C-alpha cells in the first residue's frame, strides 16, 4: 500500500484554512458554469469564516476572506466580486481556543467537512444547496479514500452524510459520486479519446487518398 506524505503534497497557500479548503478552491477553479462556480465560492467563504465567527457579519472581514480565496486560487478563478491578490500573515489571536465539547461522528472526514455540513444545513432548498451537497459528498469520498486507501461504496458516503447532518441532508442514491481526482481522470480520458479519434480519422483519410491515387494510376 502506497502512503501519501505531506512532504509530497502541494504547499498550503494559507495554512489556517487547511488542505480541504485549498483542494475545494482548486476544484471550483475549473467549473465552467459561472453561477455554480460563484455559488460554491460563496459557500467556501462562509466555511472559511468559521476561523473567526465573531467577525462573520463584518463586511471588511468577509472581503478579506474573498481576497484569501482568490489568493489561494492564485488569481486563476473568475468571480463576480471585486477581489485582489494579497500577501498574508498567519492570524494571531490572544483568545484561548475552546476544544470541541463533543466527539465528531465520523472523525476520519475531519472538522472541515463537518463545518461544510453545518453550513449546508443552513441553506434554503434549491440549486445552490444541491451544488454544495454535491461538493460535500465529493470531498467526503476523497477524504475517505485518503484515510483508508481503499475504495468506498457511494451508499456508505451518503449514509455518513445523513448521520452527520442528523438526517437533514441527503444525496440521490441513484447518482454517482465523483471525486475531484476522478473528474480529472475523466477529463484526461476524454482528451485521450478525442486524440485517438482524430488519429483514426487522419489515418482513414490517408488510406482513402492512397486508394484514390492508385485508381487514377490504373
Amino acid at each position: 500500500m502506497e502512503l501519501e506524505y505531506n512532504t509530497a503534497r502541494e504547499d498550503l497557500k494559507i495554512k489556517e484554512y487547511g488542505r480541504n479548503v485549498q483542494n475545494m478552491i482548486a476544484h471550483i477553479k475549473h467549473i465552467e458554469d459561472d453561477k455554480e462556480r460563484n455559488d460554491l465560492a460563496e459557500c467556501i467563504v462562509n466555511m472559511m469564516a468559521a476561523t473567526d465567527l465573531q467577525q462573520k457579519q463584518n463586511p471588511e472581514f468577509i472581503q478579506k476572506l474573498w481576497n484569501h480565496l482568490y489568493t489561494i486560487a492564485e488569481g486563476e478563478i473568475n468571480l463576480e466580486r471585486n477581489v485582489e491578490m494579497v500577501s498574508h500573515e498567519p492570524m494571531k489571536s490572544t483568545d484561548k481556543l475552546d476544544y470541541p465539547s463533543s466527539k465528531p461522528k465520523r472523525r476520519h472526514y475531519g472538522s472541515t467537512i463537518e463545518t461544510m455540513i453545518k453550513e449546508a444545513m443552513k441553506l434554503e432548498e434549491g440549486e445552490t444547496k444541491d451544488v454544495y451537497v454535491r461538493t460535500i459528498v465529493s470531498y467526503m469520498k476523497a477524504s475517505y479514500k485518503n484515510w483508508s486507501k481503499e475504495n468506498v461504496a457511494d451508499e456508505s458516503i451518503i449514509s455518513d452524510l445523513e448521520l452527520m447532518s442528523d438526517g437533514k441532508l441527503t444525496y440521490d442514491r441513484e447518482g454517482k459520486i465523483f471525486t475531484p481526482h476522478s473528474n480529472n481522470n475523466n477529463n484526461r480520458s476524454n482528451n485521450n479519446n478525442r486524440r485517438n479519434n482524430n488519429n483514426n480519422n487522419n489515418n482513414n483519410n490517408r488510406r482513402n487518398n492512397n486508394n484514390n491515387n492508385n485508381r487514377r494510376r490504373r
Side-chain angles (χ1 to χ4, degrees):
M1 180 175 66
E2 184 179 354
L3 298 177
E4 184 180 13
Y5 295 95
N6 282 336
T7 53
R9 295 176 173 179
E10 181 184 12
D11 290 340
L12 291 174
K13 307 289 191 308
I14 302 180
K15 291 184 178 180
E16 57 257 36
Y17 299 123
R19 191 164 301 280
N20 280 337
V21 167
Q22 183 163 305
N23 288 343
M24 283 188 289
I25 293 172
H27 173 60
I28 68 171
K29 285 198 304 185
H30 305 292
I31 294 177
E32 295 182 359
D33 183 85
D34 287 339
K35 185 177 187 307
E36 180 178 352
R37 182 177 58 256
N38 280 275
D39 285 346
L40 283 174
E42 185 170 359
C43 289
I44 293 173
V45 166
N46 288 335
M47 184 177 60
M48 292 163 67
T51 57
D52 192 346
L53 293 176
Q54 293 181 343
Q55 295 289 329
K56 192 172 182 179
Q57 304 303 322
N58 183 341
E60 292 182 1
F61 175 70
I62 297 300
Q63 181 61 47
K64 181 180 75 171
L65 297 182
W66 278 101
N67 290 340
H68 286 176
L69 183 149
Y70 190 66
T71 301
I72 293 172
E74 298 179 321
E76 297 173 353
I77 184 171
N78 186 15
L79 299 171
E80 293 177 350
R81 296 178 63 102
N82 291 326
V83 289
E84 59 182 356
M85 298 279 286
V86 294
S87 59
H88 175 68
E89 294 293 334
M91 292 183 181
K92 296 180 181 179
S93 175
T94 57
D95 296 334
K96 182 179 178 180
L97 296 177
D98 294 328
Y99 287 94
S101 58
S102 59
K103 293 182 179 179
K105 294 178 180 177
R106 289 290 185 269
R107 185 175 297 177
H108 51 272
Y109 291 121
S111 59
T112 302
I113 296 293
E114 289 193 348
T115 303
M116 291 177 68
I117 289 174
K118 290 177 183 177
E119 289 295 329
M121 290 165 62
K122 300 175 186 176
L123 297 175
E124 296 182 1
E125 297 297 327
E127 184 179 355
T128 299
K129 185 172 184 177
D130 291 342
V131 170
Y132 198 31
V133 170
R134 186 162 68 244
T135 301
I136 290 173
V137 294
S138 173
Y139 279 94
M140 286 177 68
K141 188 171 183 178
S143 296
Y144 190 101
K145 286 183 176 181
N146 287 336
W147 169 70
S148 70
K149 304 301 177 184
E150 296 178 357
N151 289 326
V152 57
D154 289 354
E155 184 77 19
S156 297
I157 298 296
I158 297 170
S159 296
D160 285 348
L161 172 69
E162 292 172 346
L163 174 69
M164 295 170 71
S165 66
D166 296 323
K168 295 179 181 178
L169 298 177
T170 189
Y171 187 78
D172 182 9
R173 292 179 183 271
E174 300 298 322
K176 183 172 178 59
I177 300 175
F178 292 98
T179 64
H181 179 68
S182 65
N183 283 336
N184 289 338
N185 285 341
N186 287 338
N187 289 337
R188 293 191 195 101
S189 177
N190 290 335
N191 289 335
N192 288 335
N193 288 336
R194 292 190 192 99
R195 291 192 199 100
N196 290 335
N197 289 335
N198 289 335
N199 289 336
N200 289 334
N201 290 334
N202 290 336
N203 289 335
N204 289 334
N205 289 335
R206 291 191 194 99
R207 291 192 197 97
N208 290 334
N209 289 334
N210 289 335
N211 290 335
N212 290 333
N213 290 334
N214 290 335
R215 290 193 193 96
R216 291 192 190 99
R217 292 192 189 99
R218 291 174 188 164

